[in-house]
């Protein structure tokens, strides 16, 4: 959520500024849909990582869930880092 707070407002403002006045409401709706879709994809990928750890790792349910959660956190951290650097590469 820190990333959302730091860059999403700027991205939405910059994007909507390029649209005509009569297109800004549709642009806002599309950006909100994309934001919700990205959140759903992130949640689904995290659930897949945890479920795969529970299925294929040996150990108790608590242990495999903990390992899966750590792996999901690492995956999301890598995604956030790539997005962060991409953002600053595009926005100079």
């Amino acid at each position: 959520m820190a990333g959302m707070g730091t860059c999403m407002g700027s991205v939405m403002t910059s994007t909507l500024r390029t649209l005509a006045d009569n297109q800004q409401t549709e642009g806002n709706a599309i950006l909100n849909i994309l934001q919700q879709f990205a959140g759903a994809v992130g949640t689904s990928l995290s659930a897949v990582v945890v479920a795969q750890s529970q299925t294929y790792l040996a150990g108790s349910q608590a242990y495999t869930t903990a390992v899966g959660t750590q792996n999901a956190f690492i995956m999301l951290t890598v995604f956030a880092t790539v997005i962060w650097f991409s953002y600053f590469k595009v926005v100079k």
Side-chain angles (χ1 to χ4, degrees), residues 20-84:
D21 288 340
N22 62 344
Q23 296 176 328
Q24 287 187 356
T25 54
E26 289 89 358
N28 189 29
I30 290 171
L31 288 172
N32 285 327
I33 289 169
L34 290 174
Q35 184 179 358
Q36 290 178 358
F37 180 73
V41 168
T43 302
S44 298
L45 287 175
S46 297
V48 166
V49 169
V50 173
Q52 291 297 315
S53 295
Q54 290 173 337
T55 302
Y56 294 109
L57 291 179
S60 68
Q61 185 78 17
Y63 172 75
T64 58
T65 302
V67 171
T69 303
Q70 289 174 348
N71 291 338
F73 180 76
I74 291 168
M75 176 193 68
L76 292 174
T77 302
V78 169
F79 287 164
T81 304
V82 169
I83 291 168
W84 184 261

